[in-house]
Amino acid sequence: MNKTDITNLVTVLIMAYGYSNGNDVIFMVGLFALSGAVTNTLAIHMLFEKVPFLYGSGVIESKFSVFKSSIHSMIMNQFFTEQNLTKFFQEEVNSAKNTIDFEKILNRTDFTPAYNSLKESVIESPFGGMLGMFGGEAALEPLKEPFVKKLQASIISITSSQAFQEVVNESLKSEDLSADIHQKLSLIVSARLEELTPKMVKELVQELIKEHLTWLVIWGAVFGGLIGLVSSLIA
């Protein structure tokens, strides 16, 4: 069982205990806690899955084209600039290597724009309003580091592939080195990103952040339980 299942089970047990013992306060705490936990559980599900007749659900898949475009723009405008390529390839050519290692540059590349693109998609979705109860955009910040590391590793893998290296080695023969390489690398990056499907993007993002989002279920139960307690005391 994961944290979500455990949280929902605990809230049901609290509610059942209060009901069976005739304790209205405990029953209301459990009821409101269950309501908060289930609501957030459904919200997380809707973030990744398209639910019929529920507008705004499945936002991760629906925004996949924006996500891919952001990654392409980041790679070509921050990493594969003509200025960086000219300097970098001159050093690599002088070293007479058969393959070129981009990892040392990628390790210094800022992947924040890709994360910001994902964050904006979440904030602009119906799920974004719910985040306001849990700190707004700040609630998503713990997701940044694991997301950036995963994305960085994926791009390093792309640049080390045989197809990528063949394009680079062919372009090294061009007189207009940086411009030729920049154009060809843009095409191959676009081609590799086009291989991504909405489902693949959803699964990538889901793997990165879903575990962290389960805390929203836990806090939904906690705050729901507190609201139930206050409501029962006032009543």
Side-chain angles (χ1 to χ4, degrees):
M1 296 179 66
N2 56 36
K3 289 194 289 287
T4 297
D5 294 333
I6 294 173
T7 301
N8 290 331
L9 178 60
V10 169
T11 58
V12 170
L13 291 176
I14 292 174
M15 186 176 64
Y17 176 83
Y19 180 80
S20 62
N21 288 275
N23 190 317
D24 292 338
V25 174
I26 295 179
F27 175 75
M28 291 294 290
V29 169
L31 179 61
F32 275 73
L34 177 63
S35 175
V38 170
T39 298
N40 284 4
T41 299
L42 292 176
I44 293 173
H45 177 77
M46 289 170 56
L47 184 63
F48 297 103
E49 305 295 340
K50 183 71 175 178
V51 180
F53 309 114
L54 291 182
Y55 173 77
S57 60
V59 63
I60 297 298
E61 284 193 73
S62 66
K63 294 289 185 178
F64 89 104
S65 58
V66 176
F67 181 70
K68 291 194 299 184
S69 175
S70 176
I71 293 176
H72 180 272
S73 177
M74 177 197 66
I75 293 175
M76 301 312 301
N77 295 333
Q78 294 194 37
F79 171 43
F80 289 128
T81 63
E82 292 188 17
Q83 294 83 358
N84 285 344
L85 288 171
T86 298
K87 180 179 178 180
F88 179 68
F89 285 121
Q90 284 175 349
E91 294 175 353
E92 292 291 335
V93 170
N94 292 335
S95 68
K97 293 181 179 178
N98 292 325
T99 60
I100 298 177
D101 184 11
F102 294 97
E103 184 172 356
K104 59 186 179 183
I105 291 183
L106 281 170
N107 285 332
R108 298 195 300 268
T109 300
D110 182 14
F111 287 83
T112 301
Y115 166 76
N116 288 338
S117 177
L118 170 65
K119 182 173 67 174
E120 288 172 7
S121 296
V122 175
I123 295 298
E124 292 171 4
S125 73
F127 189 75
M130 186 173 297
L131 283 177
M133 299 174 58
F134 305 99
E137 293 186 24
L140 297 176
E141 285 306 308
L143 312 178
K144 181 178 180 180
E145 184 176 353
F147 176 84
V148 166
K149 287 183 178 179
K150 194 82 171 184
L151 180 59
Q152 186 181 56
S154 298
I155 296 176
I156 289 175
S157 176
I158 291 175
T159 61
S160 62
S161 68
Q162 182 178 354
F164 196 96
Q165 289 290 332
E166 287 176 355
V167 170
V168 172
N169 289 329
E170 180 183 347
S171 298
L172 286 173
K173 302 173 184 178
S174 171
E175 293 182 359
D176 191 1
L177 180 67
S178 61
D180 189 46
I181 291 179
H182 187 272
Q183 181 181 9
K184 290 186 177 181
L185 291 183
S186 178
L187 292 175
I188 195 171
V189 169
S190 295
R192 291 300 296 270
L193 289 175
E194 282 301 315
E195 295 175 6
L196 292 176
T197 64
K199 182 179 179 181
M200 291 168 65
V201 172
K202 182 198 75 173
E203 290 175 348
L204 171 65
V205 177
Q206 193 172 34
E207 179 184 354
L208 292 173
I209 70 175
K210 192 170 184 179
E211 177 64 22
H212 297 276
L213 291 179
T214 56
W215 280 102
L216 290 179
V217 176
I218 296 174
W219 286 117
V222 171
F223 287 115
L226 293 175
I227 293 173
L229 176 61
V230 172
S231 298
S232 62
L233 292 178
I234 291 176

